[in-house]
């Protein structure tokens, strides 16, 4: 599995420039993100967050800026839409059925775009339900 890392400039309590290092990765069949804060001046180091939930927008934006987006597309025609809808509703938690239908339509046309770990996670979930999708290189 491909984890992704990005650095976000931050400001330390000591007044120096510090760094937030954010990671997104697949662990134990879940999509995780975490964040570490460190300051080279005063030496502080904190684990700010670690958990299996969707990454917040600033973390996703940093990862997309550092690595570019990945695009996931269904391979060939979809034999049955229901398994794909089920996965989409699971992965995009609380997606309504109509939203899941929109996502499925995007998946079969231009593809869905996100970070590489997000798209690998979705691809693997789809595959478990017999739906084949590929990530554009
Ligand atoms: Zn500091």
């Amino acid at each position: 599995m491909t984890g992704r890392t990005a650095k976000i400039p931050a400001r330390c309590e000591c007044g120096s420039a510090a760094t937030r290092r954010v990671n997104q990765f697949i662990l134990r069949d879940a999509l995780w993100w975490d964040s570490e804060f460190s300051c080279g001046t005063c030496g502080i180091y904190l684990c700010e967050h670690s958990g299996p939930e969707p990454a917040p927008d600033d973390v996703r934006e940093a990862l997309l800026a550092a690595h570019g987006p990945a695009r996931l597309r269904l391979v060939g025609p979809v034999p049955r839409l229901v398994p794909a809808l089920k996965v989409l509703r699971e992965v995009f938690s609380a997606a309504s059925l109509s939203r899941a239908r929109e996502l499925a339509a995007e998946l079969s046309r231009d593809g869905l775009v996100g970070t590489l770990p997000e798209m690998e996670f979705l691809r693997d979930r789809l595959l478990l339900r017999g739906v084949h999708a590929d990530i554009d290189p």
Side-chain angles (χ1 to χ4, degrees):
M1 284 307 157
T2 321
R4 282 289 186 241
T5 298
K7 287 180 176 167
I8 302 175
R11 179 67 56 180
C12 180
E13 280 180 358
C14 76
S16 301
T19 306
R20 286 180 73 205
R21 199 181 121 110
V22 295
N23 305 291
Q24 193 181 36
F25 51 97
I26 297 168
L27 179 68
R28 294 194 291 269
D29 205 26
L31 184 64
W32 286 56
W33 76 277
D34 66 22
S35 168
E36 300 154 10
F37 179 94
S38 63
C39 171
T41 305
C42 68
I44 195 169
Y45 174 89
L46 296 168
C47 177
E48 293 184 312
H49 177 93
S50 183
E53 60 262 331
D57 286 345
D58 62 333
V59 171
R60 298 190 68 243
E61 278 162 22
L63 292 166
L64 289 169
H67 301 284
R71 183 184 295 272
L72 184 72
R73 259 200 209 100
L74 292 182
V75 178
V78 191
R80 288 174 307 138
L81 200 56
V82 173
L85 291 176
K86 227 170 174 165
V87 172
L88 288 164
R89 293 189 77 184
E90 281 166 12
V91 170
F92 295 88
S93 43
S96 64
L97 189 56
S98 59
R99 178 66 187 138
R101 283 184 189 282
E102 285 172 22
L103 291 168
E106 284 175 39
L107 204 52
S108 61
R109 284 199 310 262
D110 300 333
L112 283 179
V113 171
T115 67
L116 185 60
E118 287 169 349
M119 294 301 107
E120 287 189 343
F121 182 67
L122 184 56
R123 179 193 62 193
D124 294 351
R125 285 302 173 101
L126 288 166
L127 194 58
L128 285 174
R129 302 240 184 216
V131 180
H132 292 260
D134 263 349
I135 295 172
D136 281 0

